Amino acid sequence: MCGGGGGGSSEAAAMERERQRRIEETVRRINELFGDPAREQIYEQQAQAVGERLQMQLDEQRADADRMIRQALARRALLGGSADIDAQREIAERYSEGLLQAQARARDAAAGLRQADEEAKQRLIALAQGGLDVGTAAQQALAAMRANAEAARAQYGAAQLGDLFGGLAQLYQLGQVARGRRAAERENPYGTYFPRRGGYAGRVNGY
Amino acid sequence: MCSGAEVAMMALMAAGSGLQAYEQQRALRRQERAAAEAMRRQQMFQERARRQVERTLEAFRPERRAERQAAAAEAEQEAFEDALAAARERAGGLIRQVAGRISGAYDTARARAVADETARAARIASLLARIRAPGLAGRQEAWRMGDLAVNLGMLGNFSRGQAGVDELAIRAAGRTSPWTMLAGDALKGYAAGRMMSAAYGRGRAGTSKLTIGGG
C-alpha cells in the first residue's frame, strides 16, 4: 500500500528551490555590477576632478597673495632679504596646508561616491530578496550609479577652499599703513592741525 | 467457550486493527524523518550564517583593525606626499629664487627655509593621514557589516521559505494511506458483522450456526 501523498509538497519544494536560485542569481548580478573594476576609475576621476578644482583656487589665491606681498616688500626695498624669505615661507606653509586640505576633500569626495554606491547596492539586494528580477535589478543598479555620480558632481562642483592667504596679504599691507603712519607722526607729532612751521601756538576748543 | 470460527473472526478483527496501527506507525516514522530532514536543513542555514559571522568577526579582531588603519594611514600619507611633490615640481619650488645677484646669506637662509617648510609639510601630511585613517577604516568596516547584514537577511529569507515548504512535507508525510486504513476497516467490519450474526442466530436457535467458510 502506498504511503502518505507528497505531490503538493514536492511541487512546493521545487518552487522554493527555483525562488532561491533566482534570488541568488539576482544578488550575484548586482554584486558584479557594483564590483566592476571600472567603478574604481570613476571614483579616481571624481577625486581628481575635485582635487583639480580646489588646486586651481589654491594656486590663484597663492599667486594673488604672492604678488601683493612682493609689492609691499618691494616698496620697502626688502626683496631678496630675510623679510622676503620669511614672507615666502609663510606663503609656502599656508599653501602646503591648503593643498593637503584640498587633497583630503578630493579623497572624501571619492569615498562619498563609493558610500552612495554601497547604499544603493544594499537597497537593491533587499529588493531582490523581495522578488526583484535580475533584469530590473541590473537596470536599477546602473541608474543608481549614474544618479550617484551626477549628485557627487553637483555637490563638489561648487567646492570652495575658503580664503587661505587673505589674512597674510592684509597683514603686510596693514604693516605698510602702520609704518606710513609712524613716519608721518615722526614728521609731525602733533597732527595736521598743528603744523610745526607755524610754531606751537594753537586754539583749543571744547575743553 | 469460543468456537473456531469465532476465534477466526476475532483474529480478523485484530488483523484489521493491526493493519491500521502499522500504517499509522509508518506515517509517524515518515513524519519524524521529514521533521528531522527539515531540522537538518535549518541547521544548514544556521551553519552558513554562523560561518559568515565568524569570517566577519575574524576581520574585526583588534590586530586586523589595527592593520587596516595602518594601511589606510599609509595610503593617505602617500597620496598627500605625492600631491605635495607634484605641486613643488609644477611651481619649481614653493619658495622662489630671487633673480639677480644675491648674497650667500640669502642662499643659506632660503635653503633652510625650503628644508623647514618641506619637513613641516611632511609632518602635517603624516598627522593628517593618521587622523583620517580611523574614519576611513571605519567606513570600510561599515560596508563589511552592511554586506554581512544583507547576507544574513538572505539566509533568513531562504530559511523561512524552506520552513514553510518543510511544514507541508511534514504534514504530507504524516498522512496515512487511505487504502490501507480502508482495508483494516473492511477486515474489522467483516469480522464484527459475522460475529454479530452468529450471536443473533444463537440467540434464536440456542446454538451457534457459524462455521468457517460461511453459514
Side-chain angles (χ1 to χ4, degrees):
Chain A
M1 294 289 185
C2 63
S9 63
S10 300
E11 190 179 337
M15 286 169 63
E16 175 62 18
R17 277 194 298 274
E18 176 62 19
R19 185 188 77 95
Q20 291 182 13
R21 187 197 65 78
R22 278 201 308 268
I23 289 175
E24 284 179 326
E25 183 186 343
T26 305
V27 169
R28 184 188 54 78
R29 182 71 182 128
I30 291 171
N31 282 326
E32 261 180 22
L33 286 170
F34 280 96
D36 191 342
R39 294 300 297 172
E40 287 299 322
Q41 290 181 8
I42 292 176
Y43 303 142
E44 287 294 324
Q45 284 169 9
Q46 174 73 2
Q48 198 174 357
V50 172
E52 282 177 3
R53 176 174 171 80
L54 294 176
Q55 180 79 53
M56 251 172 48
Q57 295 175 20
L58 185 62
D59 288 344
E60 284 169 7
Q61 287 187 24
R62 178 171 180 257
D64 289 343
D66 192 43
R67 184 176 57 251
M68 289 166 70
I69 291 172
R70 286 182 69 186
Q71 286 172 0
L73 291 174
R75 275 195 290 273
R76 291 150 52 196
L78 291 175
L79 277 180
S82 60
D84 184 12
I85 292 178
D86 288 344
Q88 285 194 68
R89 185 210 295 258
E90 182 75 26
I91 291 175
E93 285 174 357
R94 294 192 183 202
Y95 181 83
S96 296
E97 288 179 24
L99 180 64
L100 293 175
Q101 277 182 37
Q103 281 300 306
R105 287 178 61 177
R107 293 173 75 75
D108 284 345
L113 179 55
R114 188 193 294 269
Q115 174 75 26
D117 282 353
E118 284 287 327
E119 289 170 2
K121 181 185 84 171
Q122 290 180 7
R123 274 198 303 274
L124 281 172
I125 290 177
L127 287 175
Q129 293 176 24
L132 189 68
D133 65 279
V134 61
T136 309
Q139 282 176 6
Q140 292 193 15
L142 293 172
M145 286 188 278
R146 265 197 305 274
N148 289 342
E150 283 170 15
R153 268 197 294 275
Q155 182 185 5
Y156 287 98
Q160 297 289 332
L161 261 184
D163 189 3
L164 297 174
F165 298 94
L168 181 63
Q170 285 173 6
L171 192 64
Y172 273 82
Q173 289 192 326
L174 286 173
Q176 179 75 9
V177 169
R179 275 183 285 278
R181 186 174 292 128
R182 283 197 294 277
E185 285 173 354
R186 277 197 297 276
E187 175 67 22
N188 188 355
Y190 298 101
T192 58
Y193 293 101
F194 301 95
R196 188 182 290 176
R197 211 171 28 252
Y200 299 104
R203 185 174 301 174
V204 176
N205 293 318
Y207 289 96
Chain B
M1 191 75 151
C2 296
S3 68
E6 287 172 343
V7 170
M9 289 304 109
M10 281 192 285
L12 267 186
M13 286 181 74
S17 296
L19 188 62
Q20 288 180 335
Y22 174 72
E23 177 55 25
Q24 284 168 350
Q25 284 299 309
R26 277 184 62 195
L28 193 59
R29 281 196 295 274
R30 278 197 305 270
Q31 198 171 53
E32 285 172 357
R33 277 198 299 273
E37 276 295 309
M39 281 180 63
R40 190 185 61 78
R41 278 190 280 270
Q42 290 299 316
Q43 281 175 356
M44 200 172 62
F45 285 121
Q46 284 289 328
E47 179 61 20
R48 283 173 66 180
R50 187 193 65 79
R51 279 201 300 268
Q52 296 222 359
V53 170
E54 279 212 0
R55 271 200 297 270
T56 305
L57 284 179
E58 175 69 21
F60 273 75
R61 281 170 54 195
E63 51 270 28
R64 294 289 171 87
R65 299 187 77 191
E67 283 172 13
R68 276 198 297 275
Q69 283 190 22
E74 193 178 328
E76 286 290 287
Q77 184 166 352
E78 191 176 332
F80 290 153
E81 287 176 354
D82 286 348
L84 286 170
R88 289 192 186 104
E89 189 176 335
R90 202 169 44 242
L94 296 184
I95 298 181
R96 62 183 148 70
Q97 179 79 36
V98 172
R101 286 196 307 179
I102 50 174
S103 65
Y106 176 86
D107 267 345
T108 305
R110 181 179 173 276
R112 189 166 55 244
V114 168
D116 288 349
E117 190 280 323
T118 304
R120 181 177 182 275
R123 198 162 55 248
I124 292 177
S126 171
L127 286 172
L128 192 58
R130 280 162 52 193
I131 287 168
R132 287 167 54 80
L136 294 171
R139 187 173 275 181
Q140 291 173 5
E141 288 169 357
W143 295 336
R144 190 189 291 267
M145 289 299 289
D147 286 344
L148 175 65
V150 158
N151 289 337
L152 291 181
M154 196 164 70
L155 285 173
N157 182 306
F158 289 176
S159 169
R160 284 190 297 276
Q162 187 65 49
V165 167
D166 286 339
E167 191 179 337
L168 289 177
I170 290 169
R171 277 198 222 143
R175 279 197 292 270
T176 53
S177 165
W179 304 112
T180 308
M181 300 303 281
L182 186 61
D185 280 339
L187 283 173
K188 287 191 299 186
Y190 174 75
R194 289 300 299 267
M195 288 181 75
M196 280 175 65
S197 69
Y200 178 70
R202 263 204 312 276
R204 286 189 64 174
T207 57
S208 170
K209 301 278 186 201
L210 180 64
T211 55
I212 294 178

